[in-house]
Amino acid sequence: MTTFLDFLQRQRAFLLTGHENPDGDCLGAQVALFHLLRALGKQVHIVNPDPIGKAFDFLRRHTPFGHARGDDELPEFDAVVLLDCSQISRVGALGQRLLASGKPIGVIDHHVGSEHGDGTACFVDATAAATGALVRRLYRELGQPLSPAAAEGVFLSLIADTGWFRYSNADAEVFAMAGELVAAGVDGSLIYDNLYRQNHPESAQLLAALLARHRLLLDNRLALCAMDKALMERAARIDFDTDAVLDPLRSLDGVEVVALLKERYDGNVKCSLRARRDIDVQAIAATFGGGGHKKAAGATMNMPLQQAEAAIEAAVATALGDAARRR
Ligand code: AMP
Ligand code: MN
Ligand code: MN
């Protein structure tokens, strides 16, 4: 932590970024760090590889978000901070430009193995429920009070990665922090409404179509949903959050792993894995070059959709077999 604080204190102008398709943890942590660095008198810009979705627009009340694609101009910066991931390869084309700049890269992350990423200075803890919780610790360490904007950022991080405090990573630190953040003025219901109550009128039909497509495999222990390019385009057109299929599938009795496979425009397949009980989906994702956490992980698979479905089924079968042998 001290070396990381030194890194923050030494540099003057920061560019904050994160993984492609930034989620609530990534954006919430960026909000909190943006306001911390500003309070320390630094110049700060948030530049993500993708624009923020409409659901996150409410954050613009207090925090400016930028994104850069292709050779879009970048603001001036002396240092990069990567949030909620540790590898430049997860930052898309923007990541390569940041790497080529030769500027130091700070990493704040809570994924397994993030100390082995591209950070020249790291503040990482794989036991932390969310990246935003780590930024909260930086405020404490520096004796800085949380502004209402920063409190909203940290709260967003917590709810995003704990599924509104339902997952097993919702530990004592999370609940203590949540109490403190609400006391500081965070309006949870405003965040909820923004995130989940602005869906396009066609969303219910698309959700139904996706759920109707799921297959139960391996004695109902694997629920798999594959989205081909046509479905992906439909989802993109109405700004549909594909994560909506994960929890209904994870709720089915007997299901231990949920796999959502999304065919991307470049032909690769983005795979999201969620687990119940003791199956380690991070280890499964790692066999495809991905990563994440024990109960939520992902990978980009360089193969056609059907082949990816078969590969995931085989990998989950192996993991279930290994788990049974360990018992
Ligand atoms: P997702 O399914 O994309 O919501 O991701 C679930 C978890 O796995 C998140 O914590 C991600 O940051 C992580 N993750 C997703 N894709 C990758 C990847 N290609 N490499 C490493 N971690 C990933
Ligand atoms: Mn994330
Ligand atoms: Mn996270």
Side-chain angles (χ1 to χ4, degrees):
M1 159 102 78
T2 348
T3 21
F4 190 80
L5 291 176
D6 282 350
F7 159 79
L8 291 185
Q9 262 143 358
R10 229 180 10 251
Q11 309 294 339
R12 184 187 51 91
F14 291 87
L15 187 152
L16 313 187
T17 192
H19 58 75
E20 287 179 293
N21 299 315
D23 53 19
D25 183 25
C26 184
L27 298 173
Q30 290 177 344
V31 167
L33 185 61
F34 176 91
H35 293 282
L36 176 62
L37 292 172
R38 287 278 283 258
L40 297 176
K42 311 290 183 180
Q43 268 183 45
V44 201
H45 289 96
I46 300 175
V47 183
N48 282 309
D50 290 305
I52 67 176
K54 179 171 116 199
F56 293 111
D57 257 348
F58 69 100
L59 297 172
R60 295 189 197 274
R61 297 191 323 298
H62 46 61
T63 308
F65 282 92
H67 66 275
R69 284 180 165 164
D71 48 14
D72 291 351
E73 201 181 326
L74 297 180
E76 246 185 79
F77 62 98
D78 304 323
V80 176
V81 184
L82 199 52
L83 292 114
D84 199 34
C85 66
S86 64
Q87 287 162 325
I88 280 294
S89 61
R90 298 212 51 217
V91 192
L94 170 63
Q96 292 314 313
R97 293 176 67 193
L98 298 176
L99 198 58
S101 76
K103 302 280 165 69
I105 299 174
V107 162
I108 306 180
D109 190 22
H110 67 134
H111 288 95
V112 176
S114 46
E115 61 278 22
H116 307 301
D118 294 315
T120 42
C122 294
F123 178 38
V124 299
D125 179 357
T127 70
T131 303
L134 297 179
V135 181
R136 174 65 186 112
R137 291 185 202 166
L138 292 176
Y139 271 88
R140 274 229 171 81
E141 207 58 34
L142 291 164
Q144 287 287 332
L146 274 185
S147 65
E152 186 170 86
V154 175
F155 191 85
L156 174 62
S157 281
L158 297 185
I159 61 97
D161 274 21
T162 64
W164 288 88
F165 313 112
R166 289 170 304 164
Y167 304 153
S168 55
N169 60 352
D171 56 15
E173 183 191 29
V174 167
F175 279 102
M177 235 183 257
E180 166 207 56
L181 297 169
V182 172
V186 171
D187 182 347
S189 69
L190 174 136
I191 297 176
Y192 192 90
D193 283 358
N194 274 286
L195 294 182
Y196 310 107
R197 296 202 171 141
Q198 302 190 71
N199 293 338
H200 189 280
E202 286 169 39
S203 301
Q205 270 177 352
L206 181 53
L207 178 60
L210 286 176
L211 289 175
R213 264 177 167 247
H214 82 278
R215 293 190 291 142
L216 291 176
L217 303 164
L218 306 173
D219 282 334
N220 296 350
R221 296 167 84 191
L222 167 64
L224 187 146
C225 182
M227 290 180 73
D228 57 19
K229 276 187 195 163
L231 278 169
M232 287 295 287
E233 271 158 27
R234 229 174 116 188
R237 187 172 52 76
I238 63 169
D239 206 7
F240 179 84
D241 180 4
T242 55
D243 282 4
V245 303
L246 295 170
D247 264 343
L249 295 180
R250 186 149 57 162
S251 74
L252 302 175
D253 198 18
V255 165
E256 294 189 52
V257 178
V258 174
L260 172 65
L261 301 184
K262 300 187 280 192
E263 188 179 27
R264 300 206 310 194
Y265 59 90
D266 60 6
N268 286 336
V269 173
K270 162 79 216 246
C271 166
S272 288
L273 297 171
R274 298 293 182 270
R276 255 162 83 179
R277 289 196 275 270
D278 62 346
I279 298 297
D280 181 355
V281 288
Q282 190 275 328
I284 299 176
T287 65
F288 298 102
H293 312 281
K294 189 166 182 237
K295 291 190 170 160
T300 299
M301 304 169 74
N302 200 344
M303 58 183 85
L305 186 58
Q306 280 191 349
Q307 199 179 324
E309 289 178 62
I312 288 294
E313 184 178 354
V316 172
T318 305
L320 289 169
D322 290 348
R325 268 190 296 282
R326 274 199 309 276
R327 266 184 225 121

